[in-house]
Amino acid sequence: MVHLIDRRLQGKNKSAINRERFMRRYKGQIKEAVARAVKGRSITDIENGEKISIPVKDINEPVFGHAHGGIWENVHPGNKEYAKGDQIERPQGGRGGAGKGKAGNSEETGEDDFAFELSREEFLNVFFDDLELPNLVKTQLTAVPEFKNQRAGYNVSGTPSNIHVLRSLRGALGRRIAVGGTPRKRLKEAEDELLVLLQETGEDDPRVIELRLEIHHLRARILAIPFIDPFDLRYSNRIKVPKPASQAVMFCIMDVSGSMDESRKDMAKRFFILLYLFLTRAYEKIEVVFIRHHTSATEVDEQDFFHSRESGGTVVSSALHLLKKIIQERYPSNDWNAYVAQASDGDNWDSDSTTCHDLLVNSIMPLVQYYAYIEITDGPPQNLWEEYAQIPAAHPNFAMQKIESPADIYPVFRELFKKQLK
Amino acid sequence: MKTLPALPEPDNPHRLPEQSEWTFELIEQAHEEVRRVAQKFGLDTYPNQLEIISAEQMMDAYASVGMPVSYHHWSFGKHFMATEKSYKRGQMGLAYEIVINSSPCIAYLMEENSLMMQTLVIAHAAYGHNSFFKGNYLFRTWTDAEAIVDYMVFARKYIGQCEQRYGIEEVELLLDSCHALQHYGVDRYKRPAKLSLEKEYARQKEREQYLQSQVNDLWRTLPRREEEAHEEASHRFPEEPQENLLYFIEKYAPLLEPWQREIVRIVRKISQYFYPQRQTQVMNEGWATFWHYTILNQLYEEGIVGNGFMMEFLQSHTNVVYQPPVTSPYYNGINPYALGFAMMRDIRRICEEPTAEDRAWFPDIAGSDWLKTLDFAMRNFKDESFIAQFLSPKLIRDFHFFSVLDDDRNDNLHVSAIHDDSGYQHVREQLAAQYNLGNREPNIQVWSVNTHGDRTLTLRHTQFQRRPLNQNTEEVLKHVARLWSFDVHMETVNSEGTVLHTMECKAEKRRHAKK
């Protein structure tokens, strides 16, 4: 008698907790590896997981053992050429050579780093660890779920206005056929029989009388089947489906004046992609709008945004005007969470910076969840910075940081999007 | 080597269908046939429990040393991730089977296996390993198959409670340290009491109090009268060197709290449970492989399984028992399956068709009843003595074994013996010694404790063949110091007992003052 047990459905993911403990223990190293990955490779690849390796020395569980040295005598299989007394040159460093077998518990064999894959999910978790979408809480609290009505087949009860005529009549027809089937069949038989009988005998025949009576009854019965019955009624069924309010639009505004060289654009790009990744975690649907500007602003696609060569002087307010227009026309605030990231080297026409300030404070800040300004420059702050610096006091959802080198992107991003104290 | 009969197979009504998909009915049918044949050969087993599991569950089981339940620890996660990585990349097949020395004996069948593989695993694990667990003297002496699963459940619960009470990190650090010493948590010579959950429960409380009172007594801090103290100072502690480091710590570490002693004990008990497995790898795998091979061949002869089944079987069997030669890039030491299987088959051959050489080398067993002889060999040996007793010149020749002496005082390696008349004895002794855990692992024992001064613990490493300790040593000493809570020294002595050098490890300041 054997016990055969199917365990497949139970205990899945039993190791999850151990895996999680492992990750927690090596959080430091994992975070470093993730940060390295962000710096070291094209940022669009971040969508994928990441191979993490941790030096074996950090992760080894040490135990007492022998090292090489002293006297070892080991037996190996597969001798082809040696005879007793032969001398063999000692293999240098390598393993597996005669004389230094694994069986000897020698711990000196070289080991590769302990490498494992973080899934995309795990990678992003580390990546965004302790970051939180600014004002996300607010949106979620205020997001009294919006419902949309959706058809969901038919129901047997409902309000008269929802009666579905076709379905109801189809049901009635079916019912009439079903209920009337037997008497109608019998009626036909009775009528045929009566016809035959009448040719042979007269009206007085008891059988004829009987038949006539039956036919009368049957007709009455068929007529009594209601044309439509409450039972037949079908109502259109409409249900309320919560409408995901979680949609966001992300504006990327970039200064493409002559001073924004390739490396600065690249830094801006990394920042934007970081923002995009960040938003994808909170929102089901994200639209991205690219606005580039020099003296005038245009909405472009991503390709143009980063690669178009057109360039000129700088009027930042042109981009803000366009931003405002696009939000008002296409992204009404009650449906969309708008995020803006503006990257610039901060060089602007003097008189324009005040215009920017006014535009932001008066029209744009009320429309957006968060506005992040990054100034990509290694020099002193420019006049735009000075103007913007006055905004955060009144608008906590405005943030600004300086990026000097690619190494700053991630820290600055974290700074901008760090968990806010509530 | 016996060749398979190429005759048309007899029409057997119990024949298993030629299909690779398994069903529960087919597994039961296959099991029934295997059981019947195994019984015919006299294999005595614990009751069997076969469990179908998924690949992921197999990796789980693999990571927690095959235990169906275990406490949580990051290192199991590490093993899981390592296994998962190589498995997903196709770098390794999973173990086909895991079997647990318990009663009932639990054997895992992976759902991905074909019907042939399931039959093979049943023969290998549920009858091979199982009968080994039940029969071999080491397992009989050291483990209680009835109790282990319950004990693991107890351990998991207890450690879980400790985590809740004292924090995951605190427990994790303690477990790290215990794991570092787990190979030194066994009694090698003394037979311990078998595991029994009820007794463990019953005595747990009692033990806590008792142990603590022992410790308190040892570390009495009240001032003593001069002469009394003087008298005791000359009194060594421990009186004899202690090989079981974890036991010593559990018993005498000055500052461990009762729950910490209990966890030390848990790791020690589990380590003790696995100790026989570490000493009987070649025999255990050899025995199980021999029996799956023998049983499946028997099924083939009876016509229970067909040609296709047998071809598939032989392919996996051959892979399992392949021994790459030392010159191969895949060489990674001796394959215990290959050596064990070859030796079991060889013993049968010596019994059934002995040559003059066999009669000279094995006068007692040449021509004897092979079943009885094999059974005797399985019951009464461990790898070391098994090889010393049964490795025949023929196998030494078949494997082309040779022995290489590596003395760091010489410039070259030296071939000390090969597979010829003058070498057989030497090769056999060397190979046997290679499986002696006592030689493989450094001999480290508790040497002394400064009971009246700074409480320093001194360990003593007695060198074997002048072999130095590995680079981990310092790290392990830190773990010892964490458990001991005071400084730890390690003396390395040569075979004459002269101290060659000493390592010191200062105890970390306790992170938490006592509450």
Side-chain angles (χ1 to χ4, degrees), chain A residues 291-361:
Chain A
I291 297 172
R292 67 200 298 273
H293 73 89
H294 36 88
T295 45
S296 64
T298 36
E299 184 183 349
V300 292
D301 63 14
E302 189 176 347
Q303 182 64 24
D304 280 351
F305 187 69
F306 289 113
H307 302 295
S308 172
R309 303 241 145 244
E310 183 192 356
S311 184
T314 317
V315 180
V316 176
S317 62
S318 62
L320 299 186
H321 277 295
L322 183 59
L323 169 69
K324 181 181 152 197
K325 183 166 162 256
I326 294 174
I327 293 182
Q328 284 171 340
E329 282 174 5
R330 302 190 343 231
Y331 301 102
S333 296
N334 44 359
D335 284 345
W336 291 87
N337 298 290
Y339 290 83
V340 186
Q342 181 188 3
S344 165
D345 58 0
D347 194 13
N348 196 12
W349 284 358
D350 271 356
S351 57
D352 187 53
S353 291
T354 35
T355 320
C356 291
H357 176 263
D358 293 344
L359 255 174
L360 271 173
V361 172

Side-chain angles (χ1 to χ4, degrees), chain B residues 129-197:
Chain B
H129 284 308
N130 185 347
S131 59
F132 193 86
F133 291 146
K134 193 170 176 191
N136 182 268
Y137 83 101
L138 280 177
F139 290 87
R140 294 179 81 95
T141 314
W142 298 81
T143 66
D144 182 356
E146 309 268 340
I148 185 62
V149 174
D150 286 345
Y151 187 74
M152 292 305 291
V153 172
F154 157 76
R156 180 196 179 110
K157 244 197 244 161
Y158 188 83
I159 291 179
Q161 284 166 357
C162 290
E163 284 174 345
Q164 282 182 2
R165 211 172 298 169
Y166 308 103
I168 293 179
E169 200 186 328
E170 191 76 4
V171 174
E172 184 175 281
L173 290 174
L174 179 66
L175 281 173
D176 284 352
S177 298
C178 294
H179 286 179
L181 293 178
Q182 62 186 346
H183 290 175
Y184 292 83
V186 294
D187 296 316
R188 281 156 216 268
Y189 309 109
K190 194 168 60 183
R191 172 183 156 157
K194 284 188 187 175
L195 267 181
S196 158
L197 188 63

Side-chain angles (χ1 to χ4, degrees), chain A residues 215-234:
Chain A
I215 288 168
H216 180 73
H217 277 301
L218 285 170
R219 286 217 169 109
R221 204 169 140 192
I222 289 168
L223 278 175
I225 297 174
F227 179 76
I228 193 146
D229 186 282
F231 176 80
D232 305 323
L233 293 181
R234 290 295 178 271

Side-chain angles (χ1 to χ4, degrees), chain A residues 1-26 30 51-52 56-92 95-108 113-118 122, chain B residues 22 24 27-28 31 48-54 56-57 60 68 72-78 80-82 84-85 89 111 163 168 172 176 180-181 184 323-327 331-332 334 399-416 418-419 426-427 430-431 434 439-442 444 465-470 472-473 475-476 479 490:
Chain A
M1 168 64 184
V2 64
H3 288 277
L4 187 55
I5 300 173
D6 191 351
R7 283 260 187 251
R8 284 170 294 177
L9 294 178
Q10 333 171 348
K12 208 174 178 287
N13 251 339
K14 223 159 99 184
S15 264
I17 182 157
N18 290 326
R19 186 181 166 99
E20 190 270 326
R21 294 231 167 142
F22 174 87
M23 302 266 294
R24 188 177 51 78
R25 184 186 172 95
Y26 292 97
I30 292 170
K51 212 180 122 197
I52 299 288
V56 155
K57 66 171 173 42
D58 292 353
I59 217 163
N60 251 351
E61 294 164 85
V63 287
F64 287 131
H66 284 129
H68 196 56
I71 301 169
W72 291 82
E73 186 165 359
N74 280 324
V75 174
H76 299 283
N79 176 32
K80 283 208 190 95
E81 45 189 306
Y82 297 121
K84 183 179 174 175
D86 281 356
Q87 307 274 323
I88 307 170
E89 217 169 291
R90 179 172 282 124
Q92 292 302 319
R95 62 167 164 178
K100 191 172 165 191
K102 266 228 144 174
N105 196 23
S106 168
E107 297 278 335
E108 280 190 348
D113 284 354
F114 182 82
F116 59 96
E117 306 264 347
L118 287 184
E122 284 168 334
Chain B
W22 57 266
F24 288 97
I27 286 182
E28 267 170 21
H31 169 265
N48 273 302
Q49 180 165 315
L50 305 175
E51 303 194 356
I52 312 282
I53 61 175
S54 66
E56 190 186 310
Q57 288 169 317
D60 278 334
H72 296 306
H73 191 258
W74 65 271
S75 64
F76 302 139
K78 174 182 113 176
F80 180 82
M81 288 159 102
E84 185 187 37
K85 186 186 135 234
R89 292 202 179 149
E111 66 175 339
E163 284 174 345
I168 293 179
E172 184 175 281
D176 284 352
L181 293 178
Y184 292 83
Q323 172 66 61
V326 67
T327 45
Y331 180 65
N332 191 16
I334 293 168
F399 276 87
H400 288 75
F401 277 135
F402 68 128
S403 178
V404 179
L405 178 69
D406 178 0
D407 184 333
D408 60 358
R409 286 173 301 200
N410 300 334
D411 289 338
N412 286 330
L413 308 179
H414 197 85
V415 178
S416 51
I418 69 158
H419 37 95
H426 188 76
V427 168
Q430 275 309 316
L431 190 60
Q434 219 160 292
N439 297 348
R440 287 165 77 150
E441 291 171 354
I444 293 171
Q465 312 265 50
R466 294 190 296 101
R467 292 177 191 173
L469 292 174
N470 66 8
N472 278 336
T473 310
E475 284 301 308
V476 184
H479 285 300
M490 167 114 93

Side-chain angles (χ1 to χ4, degrees), chain B residues 82 90 140 146 205 225 256 259 289 306 314 329 354 361 431 452 513:
Chain B
R140 294 179 81 95
E146 309 268 340
K205 264 259 112 51
R225 278 182 296 142
L256 288 188
W259 67 269
T289 307
L314 284 172
W361 279 70
L431 190 60
H452 298 291

